[in-house]
Amino acid sequence: MALSISGNDGFDPAATQLGPAIALLRSFGVPAPRIARLLNVTTGNIRQIDLRAQHPKRDNLEFPKPLSDADLEFAAQHDPLRFELPVPLYGKEKAQVEEIEAKVEAMRQEYAGKYQFQEGILRLKTLQRYVLRASHPRRIRLKARIQQHIAWFHVHNGYSASAITHATIAMQLSLDAYHEGTQDPVDLNRYVESALIASNACLLSRRPKDALALLDLAREAAHATRSTRSSEHFRQRGTALLQIGISADDETRKQYEQAAETMKRNDEARDEHHLKMVGTRQSNLLDPNRGWDNAQEPIAWARESFGRDTLEYRMNLNWGAACALQTGNANDIEIAIVLLSGDGANAKKFGHQATITKLLLITPGLKLTPAQIMIWVRFVLYENAYRNR
């Protein structure tokens, strides 16, 4: 397996990491020698990978939930000290916490802006020593924030398992800070943010039911603080439905439309192009007749506004190419494949997107039927070779 986290080699998914995709192709009746040739491995390897993929091992996930009114009443009766108001931080202690809080936010912004996700994780971990034995709610909040940002970096690398672990820790810590402090809405809102990160990681592991469970928790917590839900809530719910299957397409469209409307209403988009990029990327896939035509504008805008060497460009290019493959038009497919293969170095910078690119590039050689293509590209867009990391 070729994998360099922050070097020049980037992510290059090996066939052994593509078990679910290979199993799907074999279920379509695609011959093992054809898949082997396209992935540059032996036919025997493809058969072994397919066999192992037939029995995937998945842990049951559990996520922390905010305490109900009954839970709070019971806890107050049996552990009254837990609900005493904490002594505020003063002097040097307060200054130190504020200094670390500022460093955490600066690191998140710096390394996210440079797409140096693994470096961001390593830098954030150096700050954990300041909150190892956190007991004050303010320090617990800081500890939760570090875990939340680490989870965010992991999910953007494609490391779903690590992202879920750190986001779940962040969710619990935010609840601890909330219930053991002054019940500051900040902590419950950060619980919501961490739940969305965990949900996104579940989607990159193709676990739509777990993602929906997390989105329900996020919705309830947002309602408790009277906070407006962001467009991400609806986008992720639409994606979960997209993964569930074509039978849910009508509701999927509604969720993506709601995401676009919410983004506009909340003024989340940087401009109209951004709104189109986020609001229509998935909707284009649901419209095979016009999807490729509509996808070309977001691709061009992402290239011009962010640059070829960015996650935004690669993401829009992958989704646009998937739309082209659905058309069955040889000219459209050729254009999309040329675009995909023309920025090879960029394709390897991001684990999840590198997986998508690799599988889209071999699609023409698979000789799938139109019905299989539709199922395949939807699958590929959420195939992630690094989901178990």
Side-chain angles (χ1 to χ4, degrees):
M1 176 186 67
L3 169 62
S4 173
I5 292 173
S6 58
N8 296 324
D9 293 337
F11 294 92
D12 187 9
T16 52
Q17 298 169 288
L18 303 174
I22 290 170
L24 178 60
L25 292 174
R26 295 290 288 138
S27 75
F28 287 161
V30 180
R34 186 183 303 165
I35 303 171
R37 184 178 67 255
L38 292 168
L39 292 177
N40 196 29
V41 295
T42 68
T43 300
N45 282 342
I46 292 299
R47 292 195 174 110
Q48 289 178 2
I49 294 167
D50 176 34
L51 184 62
R52 288 196 297 268
Q54 302 303 321
H55 307 285
K57 294 181 180 179
R58 287 205 163 184
D59 297 329
N60 293 324
L61 299 178
E62 295 185 6
F63 305 104
K65 303 176 182 179
L67 296 177
S68 65
D69 292 340
D71 292 333
L72 288 170
E73 183 177 352
F74 179 84
Q77 292 175 352
H78 292 80
D79 189 10
L81 293 178
R82 178 181 177 186
F83 294 91
E84 287 187 355
L85 292 179
V87 177
L89 297 177
Y90 293 108
K92 291 183 179 179
E93 195 174 11
K94 180 184 178 183
Q96 184 194 50
V97 170
E98 290 176 345
E99 179 184 358
I100 302 304
E101 287 174 341
K103 285 184 178 179
V104 167
E105 300 309 314
M107 284 182 183
R108 159 65 167 77
Q109 184 173 1
E110 176 185 358
Y111 291 102
K114 294 189 295 188
Y115 303 94
Q116 295 178 349
F117 304 138
Q118 189 64 25
E119 185 65 24
I121 291 169
L122 296 175
R123 292 298 303 277
L124 283 169
K125 285 185 174 181
T126 65
L127 300 179
Q128 289 187 121
R129 66 182 185 276
Y130 295 105
V131 288
L132 282 178
R133 297 177 179 83
S135 57
H136 191 279
R138 182 76 176 270
R139 290 185 177 276
I140 295 173
R141 177 187 297 171
L142 174 56
K143 188 174 184 177
R145 191 64 160 175
I146 293 172
Q147 291 292 319
Q148 181 189 100
H149 288 337
I150 289 174
W152 187 92
F153 281 124
H154 274 307
V155 81
H156 282 75
N157 252 347
Y159 291 178
S160 299
S162 295
I164 290 170
T165 296
H166 287 279
T168 301
I169 293 171
M171 290 169 68
Q172 184 61 64
L173 288 169
S174 290
L175 290 178
D176 292 344
Y178 178 76
H179 292 303
E180 296 178 19
T182 58
Q183 296 194 356
D184 192 326
V186 167
D187 296 306
L188 213 52
N189 287 333
R190 288 190 176 173
Y191 169 90
V192 172
E193 294 171 5
S194 297
L196 289 175
I197 294 171
S199 172
N200 197 25
C202 286
L203 292 173
L204 297 189
S205 298
R206 201 173 291 102
R207 303 182 70 137
K209 292 183 179 179
D210 288 316
L212 289 172
L214 281 158
L215 291 171
D216 287 343
L217 291 175
R219 179 184 58 198
E220 293 169 9
H223 179 74
T225 61
R226 296 180 174 84
S227 299
T228 301
R229 281 187 287 168
S230 69
S231 61
E232 188 68 4
H233 288 256
F234 303 101
R235 186 198 68 77
Q236 289 193 22
R237 192 171 291 275
T239 298
L241 294 172
L242 181 69
Q243 292 186 13
I244 287 174
I246 294 173
S247 61
D249 275 4
D250 287 343
E251 184 59 31
T252 300
R253 286 188 181 90
K254 291 179 183 178
Q255 293 297 322
Y256 287 141
E257 289 169 0
Q258 184 67 43
E261 292 170 6
T262 303
M263 173 171 274
K264 188 173 185 178
R265 183 173 61 250
N266 292 353
D267 198 25
E268 298 174 25
R270 53 187 290 180
D271 56 29
E272 283 298 316
H273 290 290
H274 188 202
L275 183 62
K276 288 181 180 179
M277 182 182 80
V278 175
T280 64
R281 174 164 49 90
Q282 293 92 344
S283 297
N284 289 337
L285 190 75
L286 302 177
D287 187 359
N289 294 323
R290 294 182 299 174
W292 171 238
D293 293 334
N294 294 336
Q296 293 180 65
E297 183 182 357
I299 292 172
W301 178 80
R303 182 177 60 244
E304 294 165 6
S305 298
F306 293 96
R308 293 177 182 272
D309 202 34
T310 62
L311 177 61
E312 290 81 1
Y313 173 64
R314 176 52 51 175
M315 181 170 58
N316 279 278
L317 179 54
N318 278 335
W319 278 79
C323 292
L325 287 163
Q326 284 192 136
T327 67
N329 182 292
N331 186 56
D332 292 344
I333 293 172
E334 182 180 359
I335 292 171
I337 294 299
V338 168
L339 286 173
L340 280 178
S341 57
D343 296 309
N346 167 269
K348 294 184 178 182
K349 286 189 64 176
F350 314 105
H352 171 46
Q353 298 303 321
T355 307
I356 299 172
T357 298
K358 182 162 188 169
L359 293 173
L360 290 177
L361 284 172
I362 70 170
T363 300
L366 293 170
K367 301 179 181 180
L368 302 176
T369 67
Q372 290 171 341
I373 283 283
M374 184 173 292
I375 297 171
W376 170 249
V377 297
R378 288 177 178 223
F379 182 93
V380 164
L381 288 168
Y382 288 97
E383 177 65 344
N384 178 18
Y386 305 95
R387 61 193 171 277
N388 295 323
R389 288 183 173 272

